[in-house]
Amino acid sequence: MLIENKKTSNKIGGKEVNIKFNNQKNTLFVDLNGELDHHNAKRIREKIDSEFDENGYKNISINLKGLNFMDSSGIGLIMGRYKLVNELGGRLFLTNVNFRVNKILDMSGIHKLVDIYENNEDVLKHL
Amino acid sequence: MLIENKKTSNKIGGKEVNIKFNNQKNTLFVDLNGELDHHNAKRIREKIDSEFDENGYKNISINLKGLNFMDSSGIGLIMGRYKLVNELGGRLFLTNVNFRVNKILDMSGIHKLVDIYENNEDVLKHL
Amino acid sequence: MKDNTMKLEIPSKSQNEAFARVVVASFAAQLDPTIEEIADIKTAVSEAVTNAIIHGYESKIEKIIIECNIIDNRLEIIIEDFGVGISNIQAAREPFYTSRPELERSGMGFTVMETFMDSLEICSEENKGTKIKMVKEFNKPSFEE
Amino acid sequence: MKDNTMKLEIPSKSQNEAFARVVVASFAAQLDPTIEEIADIKTAVSEAVTNAIIHGYESKIEKIIIECNIIDNRLEIIIEDFGVGISNIQAAREPFYTSRPELERSGMGFTVMETFMDSLEICSEENKGTKIKMVKEFNKPSFEE
Ligand SMILES: Nc1ncnc2c1ncn2[C@@H]1O[C@H](COP(=O)(O)OP(=O)(O)O)[C@@H](O)[C@H]1O
Ligand SMILES: Nc1ncnc2c1ncn2[C@@H]1O[C@H](COP(=O)(O)OP(=O)(O)O)[C@@H](O)[C@H]1O
């Protein structure tokens, strides 16, 4: 039978932005998945910031590969993390920026502030 | 870039029920795809009936493999085609009946009237 | 905090049957349903909206209202039309009873709604309209917020 | 025959941002849009609904109304709240202008709406509320009915 009794995991709002952390060369690597809107941005911000504060990183690198929606709340989130690292002399990296996310970042001039690379390996080469 | 400018083909209502016909051993083989609701049932009924009338078939075999939604309009459609072939001494076959469709057919007692087989080859064996 | 509500107004055009079921399914998604539960809900909504279109309004284009409420782990769906109404609700609920056999209606709409949902209430008054209330319970405490 | 309309009422809860954009996208689907057009519409709706929630109602839970109309190949989306309103619309439209920097708002919401839609109108009155009207044109005669 084709349809099993499994969860749709297709939550609205909840549409669970999963965050994964990884530490290399003083840099907090963050994997974002799901939808980045105002509803989810708050939770993401708090998770990133507490991880960043607790473990004394210098840089943050955000991997946007799993992001399937982003509105201008994403600009706020990225700008905010840029300020955070910049005050401490660190850098903010973005990786796997897709066409849609790029369209929104383009409007904001964020390209001038953050370093955008293909993927995590590329970021590590530049550290 | 990940997102191309291609059509979503995710039409509401339109959600195009495609119909394909095929003739073997006096039997009209019909492939249904998409969503079978009241909106689409009318169009499907007309297409099947005009093909059936024009080409003098005896039996109809409906393949439900591509059907991803069906409500009680489907019972009406199947009952109607059963009456059509039955009056002429023919048989109605259903193939690839999935779990959801089966749940609805079960309520209607249709199992007693039509012959349900795994797939088209199975139908051909029983002709 | 999971309580939520929504109200949708659509004209009684048959292409809105699919739209209505997608909207209710999207709303229900916050209860973290199984694929099977979502399919049940879509089917029940499709039946009620179709009835409003063909029976309630007899294909005239008028307003259908769909309201959904989430209260704890319960989803209420209310589908309302202001059409001809049902004169004999008990007869209408019977499996295979249909007033429109010529449209190849099977008379199984209410039976499907009853089978797929946990409860079904029908309020109707002739020439005033019909209001269907269906409830589905989601018993798992699976909502994280 | 392709003309259609819908009206949705939701409370100003942030989890309804995702629901609102799915509903409008599903409605827009009947215009046979490209994936890119659907993404534009979802983003614009998300901006306007978010604004109603955080600016219009300042996080109180009140009613947001979303209305969509399809007229020929044009989709109109109207998003309305009955909140604090905007005192200086011209300033609000400026890129990077935000009254809530402490919430990490970027001030790019209206700019996104303008960029992704074909037109944007803002009607607002202080302490009465705000009504955003956005239009997207679909120029291909691709609808078969
Ligand atoms: N919204 C409605 N307005 C008026 N009559 C209705 C409505 N819904 C149902 N009915 C009546 O109840 C009958 C049974 O409905 P249902 O079980 O859904 O079967 P069907 O739609 O196949 O006829 C219909 O044939 C119709 O006479
Ligand atoms: N619905 C609304 N009600 C009240 N004020 C609003 C509304 N929408 C926008 N505004 C005002 O316009 C400003 C600019 O909005 P926008 O460009 O979307 O940026 P942002 O949401 O990032 O602040 C907001 O900061 C707010 O002051």
Side-chain angles (χ1 to χ4, degrees):
Chain A
M1 299 291 90
L2 285 182
I3 295 173
E4 296 155 51
N5 209 37
K6 68 176 180 225
K7 293 286 178 178
T8 54
S9 75
N10 163 28
K11 304 188 200 170
I12 75 156
K15 260 185 185 164
E16 218 36 41
V17 177
N18 288 309
I19 308 182
K20 276 195 213 139
F21 296 119
N22 180 13
N23 172 12
Q24 278 185 74
K25 294 203 190 176
N26 249 346
T27 302
L28 172 59
F29 284 87
V30 183
D31 274 348
L32 289 189
N33 291 288
E35 309 204 328
L36 205 179
D37 61 5
H38 156 252
H39 178 73
N40 290 322
K42 192 170 167 251
R43 216 175 338 181
I44 298 171
R45 181 171 66 230
E46 287 166 358
K47 284 196 181 174
I48 294 178
D49 289 4
S50 81
E51 176 74 18
F52 186 80
D53 286 348
E54 275 171 31
N55 296 293
Y57 297 97
K58 186 158 181 249
N59 313 303
I60 298 179
S61 180
I62 306 179
N63 176 6
L64 306 176
K65 189 163 189 184
L67 214 59
N68 41 47
F69 177 84
M70 187 183 107
D71 65 14
S72 74
S73 310
I75 301 176
L77 184 91
I78 292 167
M79 288 288 209
R81 286 340 100 223
Y82 168 75
K83 285 179 194 158
L84 191 68
V85 294
N86 191 50
E87 275 174 15
L88 302 169
R91 286 159 78 190
L92 180 68
F93 302 95
L94 297 179
T95 58
N96 286 297
V97 174
N98 72 28
F99 177 72
R100 288 297 309 178
V101 169
N102 198 48
K103 214 166 158 175
I104 289 175
L105 295 185
D106 251 356
M107 293 179 204
S108 68
I110 266 182
H111 289 95
K112 290 165 211 147
L113 305 174
V114 308
D115 294 304
I116 297 182
Y117 289 114
E118 198 68 31
N119 51 39
N120 287 357
E121 286 91 75
D122 263 20
V123 171
L124 286 168
K125 275 187 220 151
H126 289 84
L127 278 175
Chain B
M1 300 289 91
L2 284 182
I3 295 173
E4 296 155 52
N5 210 37
K6 69 174 180 229
K7 292 286 176 176
T8 53
S9 76
N10 162 29
K11 304 187 199 170
I12 75 156
K15 259 182 188 168
E16 218 39 38
V17 176
N18 287 309
I19 308 181
K20 275 195 214 140
F21 295 118
N22 180 12
N23 172 13
Q24 277 184 75
K25 292 202 191 177
N26 249 346
T27 302
L28 171 61
F29 284 87
V30 184
D31 275 348
L32 289 190
N33 291 288
E35 310 204 327
L36 206 179
D37 61 5
H38 156 252
H39 178 73
N40 290 323
K42 192 171 167 250
R43 218 177 335 183
I44 298 171
R45 182 172 65 231
E46 288 166 357
K47 284 197 183 173
I48 294 178
D49 289 4
S50 82
E51 176 73 17
F52 186 80
D53 286 348
E54 276 172 30
N55 296 294
Y57 297 98
K58 185 159 181 244
N59 313 302
I60 298 178
S61 180
I62 307 180
N63 177 6
L64 305 176
K65 189 164 190 183
L67 214 59
N68 42 47
F69 178 84
M70 187 182 105
D71 64 15
S72 75
S73 310
I75 302 176
L77 184 90
I78 293 165
M79 288 288 207
R81 285 341 99 222
Y82 169 75
K83 286 179 195 158
L84 192 67
V85 293
N86 192 51
E87 274 174 17
L88 302 169
R91 287 159 76 190
L92 180 68
F93 303 95
L94 296 179
T95 58
N96 287 297
V97 174
N98 73 27
F99 178 70
R100 288 297 309 178
V101 170
N102 199 47
K103 216 167 159 175
I104 289 176
L105 295 185
D106 252 354
M107 293 178 203
S108 68
I110 267 182
H111 290 94
K112 290 164 210 148
L113 305 176
V114 307
D115 294 305
I116 297 183
Y117 291 112
E118 200 68 31
N119 51 39
N120 287 359
E121 285 91 74
D122 265 19
V123 171
L124 286 169
K125 275 185 219 152
H126 289 83
L127 278 174
Chain C
M1 263 323 294
K2 101 189 57 165
D3 292 4
N4 204 350
T5 183
M6 72 97 172
K7 192 172 138 186
L8 177 71
E9 276 181 39
I10 46 172
S12 56
K13 296 186 163 200
S14 65
Q15 74 254 44
N16 288 333
E17 292 158 11
F19 175 60
R21 50 183 193 259
V22 169
V23 171
V24 176
S26 306
F27 189 74
Q30 51 196 308
L31 283 159
D32 199 18
T34 63
I35 290 178
E36 188 65 6
E37 285 164 340
I38 283 289
D40 288 350
I41 290 167
K42 276 189 164 181
T43 314
V45 168
S46 197
E47 299 295 350
V49 171
T50 300
N51 280 353
I53 293 172
I54 54 183
H55 303 304
Y57 292 126
E58 299 173 314
S59 300
K60 285 189 298 292
I61 307 302
E62 304 282 348
K63 184 166 67 176
I64 298 173
I65 297 181
I66 300 169
E67 201 183 307
C68 294
N69 299 302
I70 291 175
I71 304 150
D72 296 323
N73 289 310
R74 186 170 3 114
L75 173 66
E76 274 179 16
I77 306 171
I78 297 157
I79 295 175
E80 192 171 8
D81 68 64
F82 308 91
V84 299
I86 304 176
S87 53
N88 185 338
I89 294 179
Q90 220 190 317
R93 287 183 89 127
E94 288 292 320
F96 303 109
Y97 173 83
T98 179
S99 54
R100 307 298 298 271
E102 78 281 12
L103 296 180
E104 293 201 342
R105 300 308 299 163
S106 63
M108 293 300 287
F110 283 132
T111 308
V112 166
M113 292 182 238
E114 273 197 290
T115 309
F116 288 174
M117 301 293 284
D118 291 312
S119 78
L120 169 69
E121 272 173 50
I122 306 170
C123 298
S124 190
E125 207 175 318
E126 274 186 277
N127 300 314
K128 288 251 171 117
T130 301
K131 191 170 178 169
I132 305 297
K133 182 172 155 187
M134 304 184 280
V135 174
K136 187 132 185 128
E137 308 274 355
F138 296 79
N139 292 315
K140 334 96 202 180
S142 54
F143 196 81
E144 71 261 77
E145 200 49 67
Chain D
M1 262 318 296
K2 100 190 54 165
D3 292 5
N4 204 351
T5 183
M6 72 98 173
K7 193 171 137 186
L8 177 72
E9 276 182 39
I10 46 172
S12 56
K13 296 185 163 201
S14 64
Q15 76 254 43
N16 288 334
E17 291 158 12
F19 175 61
R21 48 185 194 259
V22 169
V23 172
V24 176
S26 305
F27 189 74
Q30 52 196 306
L31 283 158
D32 199 19
T34 63
I35 290 177
E36 187 66 6
E37 285 164 339
I38 282 290
D40 287 350
I41 289 167
K42 277 188 164 182
T43 314
V45 168
S46 197
E47 300 294 350
V49 171
T50 300
N51 280 354
I53 292 172
I54 53 183
H55 303 304
Y57 292 127
E58 300 172 317
S59 299
K60 287 189 298 294
I61 307 300
E62 304 282 349
K63 183 166 68 177
I64 299 173
I65 297 181
I66 300 168
E67 201 183 306
C68 295
N69 299 302
I70 292 175
I71 304 150
D72 295 324
N73 288 310
R74 183 169 7 113
L75 173 67
E76 274 181 16
I77 306 171
I78 297 157
I79 295 175
E80 191 170 10
D81 68 64
F82 308 91
V84 299
I86 304 175
S87 54
N88 185 339
I89 294 179
Q90 220 191 318
R93 288 184 90 128
E94 287 293 319
F96 303 109
Y97 172 83
T98 179
S99 54
R100 307 298 298 272
E102 78 282 10
L103 296 179
E104 294 202 341
R105 299 309 299 163
S106 63
M108 293 300 288
F110 282 133
T111 308
V112 166
M113 292 181 238
E114 272 197 293
T115 309
F116 287 174
M117 300 293 284
D118 290 312
S119 78
L120 169 70
E121 272 173 48
I122 306 170
C123 299
S124 190
E125 207 176 317
E126 275 187 277
N127 300 314
K128 290 252 171 115
T130 301
K131 192 170 178 169
I132 305 296
K133 183 172 155 186
M134 304 184 278
V135 174
K136 187 131 184 129
E137 308 274 354
F138 296 79
N139 291 316
K140 335 93 201 183
S142 55
F143 196 81
E144 73 261 76
E145 199 52 68

